[in-house]
Amino acid sequence: MKTPPNFEDELEEETESDEVFPVFREGAKFGELHLEVGMKFNTKWDFKEAVREYTIQEGMRIRFNKNDRKRLRAVCKVKECSWVIFASKDRDDTCWQVKTFRDDHSCAREDKNRTANRNWVAIKLVKKNRKYPNFRHCDANTFFKTKYDLSLNRNSISKALSDARNLVYGDEKAQYAMVRDYGETLLKTNPDLGDYKTHGWCFISDMQKGLINAVQEVMPNVHHRFCEFREHREKLKRLNPEAWAYLEKWPTHSWTRSQFSHKSKLDSICNNACEVFNAKIKEAMRKPIITLLEEVRMFVMRTIAKNKVKLDNHVGILSPVIKSRLEKLRKESG
């Protein structure tokens, strides 16, 4: 190993040498990273990131100084400590090289480190978000505590987790700009799904506003009995207020056809279907809109595929659950 220069001679021109110095390799496992005199880095940014990773690994606080285009030095924040690392551009001005490295660090290990900034934390969380789509704040806190022995504040983790999700799933604002294109793509690739009149589509709302406008925008000619009833109701109010006052005394389902149903009846009189669906997509609802829609689409497709497998050997026009209910009612009526 080449003898390191004195600190006062850090900037002196080195004599020519044929020694081959190690080149820093990214991707070293946390806990196995090491630095040494003569190690080369492609850029100053690579050197700073390596020092950052090393000091977090060792649990020490540092600060950078002599921060210019040609040289950079980092020292321990504890004045009594002699730990220092110095790097500058090599003779050919092609890379950065460690000139001085005093690694006699004697300070106690700390679990708080300012070098573990928002950008560093976000980069570490990207892989976790890709592997675990529902990676949460508490999971991130445990991850940094167990692997890096770091105690990060809640605000820092929240912001970094948001940045990591944007990198993995895409920017939230940018995804809203693609919603219309996404809808048109679905209609082109699923033509579509069949005619809503022929198949008797039913749109269920969990007391959320805007459903009528959303459905009519996608299918402008859709038959919506409530909308028609509302238009005729207003017209009747203008033509004959007394007649409307009389009709208003009675429940609408007993006198207006818009409230009648000519399709198969279902004994479900609550919004349990909506509640179950909302519970299934709870984690996806935290993600940007296109990612949310894609996860909902995949969830529905998987559910349909599983139900098809279950019904492959089923005989009859009724589903198993409804058939069992009907059989129960038949026995009770007997």
Side-chain angles (χ1 to χ4, degrees):
M1 180 65 66
K2 184 178 180 181
T3 304
N6 294 328
F7 186 73
E8 292 79 8
D9 301 327
E10 286 174 338
L11 300 181
E12 290 184 2
E13 193 70 26
E14 297 180 12
T15 59
E16 294 186 3
S17 174
D18 296 330
E19 292 186 65
V20 178
F21 293 105
V23 178
F24 177 74
R25 303 292 183 185
E26 294 184 0
K29 290 184 179 180
F30 187 82
E32 300 178 1
L33 179 67
H34 73 281
L35 303 174
E36 57 184 283
V37 174
M39 181 171 282
K40 292 185 177 182
F41 299 83
N42 292 328
T43 64
K44 181 171 71 173
W45 172 258
D46 290 340
F47 170 70
K48 292 187 68 174
E49 287 304 302
V51 173
R52 183 199 307 277
E53 197 80 15
Y54 181 79
T55 55
I56 293 175
Q57 170 183 292
E58 300 300 317
M60 53 190 294
R61 294 181 299 151
I62 65 164
R63 68 173 185 272
F64 287 99
N65 51 27
K66 288 190 177 180
N67 189 0
D68 56 33
R69 298 188 338 177
K70 296 284 187 178
R71 53 186 180 171
L72 186 62
R73 185 176 66 170
V75 297
C76 182
K77 282 191 173 182
V78 180
K79 294 182 179 179
E80 294 77 12
C81 183
S82 60
W83 187 94
V84 63
I85 186 169
F86 175 84
S88 63
K89 282 200 170 184
D90 64 354
R91 294 189 302 272
D92 300 328
D93 205 28
T94 57
C95 64
W96 285 68
Q97 188 174 27
V98 177
K99 306 295 184 180
T100 300
F101 184 37
R102 298 175 186 161
D103 197 23
D104 50 346
H105 181 69
S106 57
C107 304
R109 183 180 182 88
E110 299 184 12
D111 64 349
K112 296 184 183 296
N113 198 321
R114 285 185 174 272
T115 57
N117 56 18
R118 176 176 173 177
N119 184 60
W120 182 86
V121 175
I123 291 174
K124 299 301 179 183
L125 290 176
V126 166
K127 290 184 179 180
K128 285 294 180 181
N129 273 272
R130 286 190 175 131
K131 188 174 182 180
Y132 306 104
N134 300 321
F135 198 70
R136 298 173 298 174
H137 186 282
C138 59
D139 300 325
N141 189 37
T142 304
F143 167 68
F144 285 106
K145 186 64 180 175
T146 55
K147 183 171 183 178
Y148 298 98
D149 195 17
L150 281 175
S151 296
L152 303 177
N153 64 67
R154 185 178 184 84
N155 190 44
S156 175
I157 292 180
S158 297
K159 291 180 178 179
L161 193 58
S162 177
D163 293 341
R165 286 170 177 165
N166 286 339
L167 289 172
V168 175
Y169 304 120
D171 183 72
E172 187 172 354
K173 293 182 179 179
Q175 286 203 12
Y176 269 105
M178 298 187 291
V179 170
R180 189 172 296 277
D181 293 336
Y182 179 80
E184 292 178 355
T185 302
L186 287 181
L187 293 175
K188 288 179 181 178
T189 54
N190 299 273
D192 180 54
L193 295 175
D195 183 79
Y196 60 89
K197 292 182 180 178
T198 303
H199 295 284
W201 285 6
C202 177
F203 294 92
I204 304 175
S205 172
D206 187 21
M207 302 299 291
Q208 300 298 322
K209 299 178 181 178
L211 179 67
I212 295 176
N213 294 333
V215 171
Q216 288 184 335
E217 183 177 352
V218 177
M219 294 171 287
N221 299 320
V222 68
H223 176 69
H224 199 292
R225 292 179 298 167
F226 177 73
C227 296
E228 295 180 0
F229 167 71
R230 186 169 54 185
E231 294 175 4
H232 291 293
R233 178 187 65 188
E234 299 301 324
K235 184 177 180 180
L236 180 60
K237 282 183 180 181
R238 294 193 302 268
L239 295 176
N240 195 330
E242 291 80 8
W244 172 251
Y246 172 78
L247 290 173
E248 202 173 21
K249 296 177 182 179
W250 312 102
T252 54
H253 62 78
S254 64
W255 60 270
T256 174
R257 190 173 63 178
S258 66
Q259 305 298 321
F260 298 164
S261 174
H262 302 289
K263 297 188 178 297
S264 301
K265 305 301 187 294
L266 185 65
D267 59 353
S268 179
I269 57 174
C270 58
N271 65 341
N272 283 352
C274 290
E275 297 297 344
V276 171
F277 183 75
N278 285 343
K280 287 292 185 180
I281 66 171
K282 183 177 180 181
E283 296 296 335
M285 291 175 68
R286 303 175 182 176
K287 299 173 183 176
I289 183 68
I290 300 296
T291 307
L292 161 64
L293 294 174
E294 274 295 284
E295 293 203 10
V296 171
R297 182 179 69 86
M298 296 302 295
F299 164 70
V300 173
M301 290 178 65
R302 286 192 294 266
T303 303
I304 293 174
K306 290 178 182 178
N307 289 338
K308 281 185 177 180
V309 173
K310 291 179 181 178
L311 292 173
D312 277 345
N313 299 322
H314 179 69
V315 179
I317 61 173
L318 296 178
S319 63
V321 175
I322 300 302
K323 187 176 181 179
S324 64
R325 290 182 181 177
L326 185 61
E327 183 64 23
K328 181 181 179 180
L329 291 174
R330 187 187 68 78
K331 291 180 179 180
E332 290 177 354
S333 64

